[in-house]
Amino acid sequence: MSVKFRFFYSLTMSLALSFLMSAWVTFLNLGLQGDFTAHWMRAFLLAWPTAFTIAFALGPTVNKVTEKLMAASATLSRRSDS
């Protein structure tokens, strides 16, 4: 996977996740009140750079762990089919 792909994948995934998660956590903490959007956008702007950094830094490790889990799952599946 190229660094350019990792960069843009991390950028878009962190954008989507931090946007939705900050909305959800803001809603859980404050409910729908008059200044909900202002609180949500503040939370989002604080969360996104952190989410991007974590996604970019941990992406290769998470990918390797996922590959190992999928390989183990396939092995277990083949064993149970026998």
Side-chain angles (χ1 to χ4, degrees):
M1 178 182 334
S2 73
V3 173
K4 184 177 179 180
F5 178 86
R6 261 186 58 218
F7 178 84
F8 284 105
Y9 180 83
S10 298
L11 189 74
T12 55
M13 182 59 82
S14 65
L15 170 72
L17 283 173
S18 59
F19 186 76
L20 296 171
M21 290 302 297
S22 62
W24 178 243
V25 173
T26 302
F27 173 75
L28 290 176
N29 286 319
L30 303 176
L32 277 179
Q33 57 184 27
D35 57 350
F36 171 82
T37 304
H39 285 287
W40 173 20
M41 288 299 106
R42 183 175 189 284
F44 167 67
L45 291 174
L46 291 171
W48 188 21
T50 304
F52 169 74
T53 302
I54 292 167
F56 188 77
L58 292 181
T61 302
V62 171
N63 193 28
K64 287 176 187 173
V65 169
T66 302
E67 287 174 355
K68 287 180 182 182
L69 289 171
M70 294 304 295
S73 175
T75 300
L76 288 174
S77 179
R78 282 192 301 267
R79 285 183 187 167
S80 68
D81 290 341
S82 303

